[in-house]
Amino acid sequence: MASSIFFSHPASAEHDTGPHPERRERIFAIERHLEQTGWFGFEQRDAPRVERELLESCHDAGYVAALERLCAVGGGQIDDDTLVSAGSWEAALRSAGGAVAVVDVLLSGEAVAAFSAGRPPGHHALRARAMGFCIFNNVAVAAIHALNAHALERVFIFDWDVHHGNGTNDLFHSTPQVLYASIHESPLYPGSGPAGDRGSGAGEGFTLNLPVPAFSGDDLFCELVHERVIPQAREYRPQLILISAGYDAHADDPLADCLVTEAGFATMTTAVRRLGEELQAPVGVVLEGGYELGALARSVAATLEALGTPEG
Ligand SMILES: [Zn+2]
């Protein structure tokens, strides 16, 4: 019987970032909250490791090898806000692997909904560069897997993290096989994602960037979802929908200035789930940012509840 599956792995706690907003306690907070509130019908599973060959279909093989070596010697600082520890290699493999597993359980029909709560997050990671707390671009690896291993032709990635997912934007910039839509605060790190960036070459028109000003909340985010994101995605007719789900647009988040609440995340999830039902495209969710532990945990719960609740 088709079920709902939540992927995570203890190795995520071994990605030791020290005093850093992207810390192991994020996953602990999510799982503790779900223990208390119930899992909304989701079954917990260990995220598998991503296969090297798949990882290298998204990332430069030299970059992957360099990262493996850096972790093997105990880790180090990669840029001002991105670092790895000895345990980051395994964590990163599981974080990407969890996103891939989401695709597999959805497309095999084993699950009707799936969520991967891995860390490090992914959407800033470029083909050959870690960036912005991100090592491997988990959602991009998952989308490539859907296209290659499952022979899909159209994958829709909706990124509601408050930061622009520059890595995902760039990886699929020139292909029509992935529609990438992002709502993000602007100006804000990493500074990319103007509305005029709509993709390039054969991918022209398959990138939808929706920058919003600081202090935007549920009303604007949900309006953009209903009036821009869903109509364009409907026209695209994706065979799979992946949400790049950061929760740092939450009002309580310390890294940005938007005012989204749990109710807003639930409304956006419901809108995407209904589109998926309409198009018979399964919906998977991959964790990105979100740095206020309580807000993060409650917002993930709101997402699971909205995702797992059958249409009444
Ligand atoms: Zn973010």
Side-chain angles (χ1 to χ4, degrees), residues 1 3 14 29 60 73 91 93 125 171 181 184 193 208 242 244 272 283 308:
M1 196 182 107
S3 60
E14 305 306 318
D60 178 76
V73 298
L93 294 182
L171 283 162
H184 47 273
L208 176 63
L242 296 173
S244 218
V272 174
V283 179

Side-chain angles (χ1 to χ4, degrees), residues 26 30 115-116 118 121-124 134 139 157-165 180-184 221 242-251 253 256 258 260-262 264-266 268-269 284-292 295-297 299-300 303:
R26 298 176 60 233
I30 291 168
F115 190 107
S116 177
H123 73 154
H124 296 305
C134 300
V139 79
I157 298 175
F158 175 30
D159 185 336
W160 70 42
D161 188 283
V162 79
H163 303 96
H164 180 240
Y180 175 70
S182 172
I183 304 178
H184 47 273
F221 272 74
L242 296 173
I243 302 176
S244 218
Y247 295 92
D248 40 13
H250 194 283
D253 197 274
C258 283
V260 175
T261 69
E262 294 90 309
F265 288 116
M268 291 196 287
T269 306
V285 186
V286 178
L287 182 66
E288 299 287 357
Y291 305 100
E292 204 291 315
L296 170 65
S299 299
V300 169
T303 301

Side-chain angles (χ1 to χ4, degrees), residues 103-117:
V103 168
D104 283 336
V105 297
L106 291 174
L107 294 180
S108 69
E110 187 181 353
V112 292
F115 190 107
S116 177

Side-chain angles (χ1 to χ4, degrees), residues 101-186:
V102 161
V103 168
D104 283 336
V105 297
L106 291 174
L107 294 180
S108 69
E110 187 181 353
V112 292
F115 190 107
S116 177
R119 58 181 289 276
H123 73 154
H124 296 305
L126 302 165
R127 176 168 283 283
R129 189 180 147 197
M131 182 176 164
F133 316 166
C134 300
I135 307 297
F136 299 135
N137 196 316
N138 309 313
V139 79
V141 172
I144 289 169
H145 178 67
L147 296 171
N148 292 351
H150 294 276
L152 297 197
E153 293 170 344
R154 293 176 309 281
V155 176
F156 169 43
I157 298 175
F158 175 30
D159 185 336
W160 70 42
D161 188 283
V162 79
H163 303 96
H164 180 240
N166 61 296
T168 318
N169 184 95
D170 289 5
L171 283 162
F172 301 120
H173 205 250
S174 60
T175 177
Q177 289 191 301
V178 174
L179 170 65
Y180 175 70
S182 172
I183 304 178
H184 47 273
E185 182 179 330
S186 176

